Amino acid sequence: MGMGRPREFDAETALDQAMEVFWRHGYEGATIAQLTEAMGINPPSLYACFGNKEGLLKAALDRYTKLRGVWMDEVVAAATARDVAERMLMGIADKQTDPANPPGCLLVQGGIACGTGSENVPFELAARRSQNEDQLRDRFIRAKAEGDLKPASDPAALARYVSAVAVGMGVMASSGADREALRQVATVAVQAIEAQSGKYPPTPAVKQTPSKQTRSGTA
């Protein structure tokens, strides 16, 4: 058996290349040949470093969520709940139609049409999306406590709504929708959050417990 290539290759660059292959083709559609060619390594080296294809996907997702996490920190730093929704959804409209990136969202695209042997992949992607939803929920809880949302508003439901819109925008982008179409969707969603907003006396934050059902989040 031939020896695998040594591990001196740039791991982050290799993962960025693998990320793009999964993003464009999905987990099921991405072949080992495509992945190793994009990463500049051979199959034995891939298996030595990541165990298998699913292990490589998880490593690529770690890289993706780390990069997206920086952006999400900027999103939730917006001044109001309305501004948070606008910054996130308009940002998605721009990012997911940027010619420099594959269309859509890796956290949606990666798990489409997974078959036998890859049943865990959709759950892995859903768990990553839920991290973004959790950030939104916590930010909306704070917004409600600060009087930025109506006292009757439900921060968890609002976070779930924005996350669902984000996933839908990802599907639209992957199907060829242009930036203007996605921005129109984002505008309507932001108006829905704005309808829950206002200036109210601060109220104590109530601990929200996540639903036991699988939740969707951003891409």
Side-chain angles (χ1 to χ4, degrees):
M1 178 180 294
M3 294 295 291
R5 182 173 174 174
R7 298 191 185 189
E8 284 79 11
F9 66 93
D10 185 329
E12 290 189 349
T13 299
L15 286 175
D16 286 344
Q17 298 303 318
M19 183 196 309
E20 183 165 340
V21 174
F22 284 127
W23 198 337
R24 290 191 183 280
H25 301 285
Y27 178 80
E28 199 77 8
T31 66
I32 295 296
Q34 288 172 324
L35 290 164
T36 53
E37 180 179 0
M39 297 170 72
I41 60 177
N42 57 27
S45 187
L46 185 154
Y47 292 120
C49 292
F50 303 104
N52 54 26
K53 182 179 170 183
E54 187 171 334
L56 174 59
L57 174 67
K58 290 180 179 180
L61 289 175
D62 287 342
R63 172 74 172 156
Y64 182 81
T65 53
K66 178 181 178 180
L67 296 173
R68 298 286 283 189
V70 174
W71 176 67
M72 277 300 297
D73 288 343
E74 296 174 355
V75 166
V76 297
T80 66
R82 180 209 174 278
D83 293 344
V84 167
E86 181 176 56
R87 185 175 293 184
M88 178 174 176
L89 296 177
M90 290 299 183
I92 286 173
D94 293 344
K95 290 175 181 294
Q96 295 189 1
T97 55
D98 186 343
N101 299 321
C105 174
L106 173 61
L107 299 183
V108 176
Q109 288 293 101
I112 293 177
C114 286
T116 303
S118 54
E119 296 90 345
N120 291 332
V121 171
F123 294 101
E124 181 72 27
L125 297 175
R128 308 288 178 140
R129 294 195 302 267
S130 73
Q131 294 173 8
N132 293 336
E133 184 178 315
D134 290 344
Q135 276 189 276
L136 285 175
R137 186 195 67 233
D138 291 344
R139 178 63 182 85
F140 291 157
I141 288 173
R142 178 161 68 86
K144 181 176 179 178
E146 293 171 348
D148 179 45
L149 288 171
K150 291 180 178 180
S153 65
D154 183 339
L158 291 177
R160 195 172 299 119
Y161 168 72
V162 173
S163 297
V165 172
V167 170
M169 290 172 67
V171 173
M172 288 177 62
S174 66
S175 301
D178 62 17
R179 182 168 299 178
E180 182 58 29
L182 267 62
R183 280 181 160 265
Q184 289 173 355
V185 172
T187 296
V188 174
V190 170
Q191 290 171 347
I193 300 299
E194 190 171 21
Q196 295 289 316
S197 302
K199 292 296 181 183
Y200 303 93
T203 58
V206 178
K207 180 70 173 179
Q208 300 272 344
T209 55
S211 169
K212 292 183 179 180
Q213 296 179 349
T214 300
R215 295 167 292 139
S216 296
T218 64

